[in-house]
Amino acid sequence: MSMTVTAREFFEACETGKGWDGCAEYCSADASFSCQSSALEDTLTLAAYAEWMKGLLTPIPDGHYELKGFASDEDRGIVLAFAVFHGTQSGPGGPVDATGAKVASDYVYALEFAGGKITHMTKIWNDGHALTQLGWA
């Protein structure tokens, strides 16, 4: 499977809440994760991030992405996915009772590859803006 196809399948699995069980086949077992955000500062593995995304769809059950761009850099072993996450906090499990607030939050996944698998993901995301929209901050 090509790097681009692997990245697309991983992105779909992660963003639709399949958790690590649905994402692991596209990644190295020890794939790392980073994001310069307070909400994810303790999330250091891609497995933990995939589970975090799965959990996010409980308080935001209509959560979905709008894919804006997808690019592969074969020479550097990187795939970039730019999207907007949309949803309404209408379910249980958030940091506060359901607010009914909507979110539209831009983000980018930078997926690093080695040996045909994702070895690291950097998420570029303004969590403060997203959490404010939801009434969580």
Side-chain angles (χ1 to χ4, degrees):
M1 186 174 346
S2 76
M3 183 175 78
T4 303
V5 170
T6 299
R8 282 187 192 263
E9 291 183 9
F10 167 81
F11 183 84
E12 172 70 17
C14 188
E15 292 299 294
T16 58
K18 302 294 188 257
W20 186 240
D21 286 344
C23 295
E25 70 180 284
Y26 309 109
C27 309
S28 65
D30 61 347
S32 55
F33 173 85
S34 63
C35 183
Q36 293 178 344
S37 73
S38 295
L40 293 167
E41 68 186 341
D42 295 327
T43 306
L44 304 176
T45 67
L46 198 44
Y49 176 73
E51 289 299 310
W52 183 85
M53 274 303 300
K54 180 180 176 181
L56 184 63
L57 296 179
T58 299
I60 307 174
D62 67 342
H64 62 281
Y65 67 88
E66 174 189 2
L67 188 59
K68 297 285 199 168
F70 206 86
S72 295
D73 183 336
E74 296 284 340
D75 292 341
R76 291 173 186 81
I78 299 283
V79 176
L80 303 172
F82 163 46
V84 181
F85 180 83
H86 297 275
T88 306
Q89 195 224 347
S90 59
V96 299
D97 290 337
T99 62
K102 295 187 179 303
V103 64
S105 185
D106 298 336
Y107 63 99
V108 175
Y109 283 3
L111 303 165
E112 299 177 29
F113 279 77
K117 300 274 188 174
I118 299 165
T119 58
H120 179 79
M121 182 177 114
T122 300
K123 181 174 184 173
I124 302 155
W125 175 52
N126 184 338
D127 67 327
H129 186 70
L131 298 177
T132 298
Q133 286 181 38
L134 288 166
W136 293 0

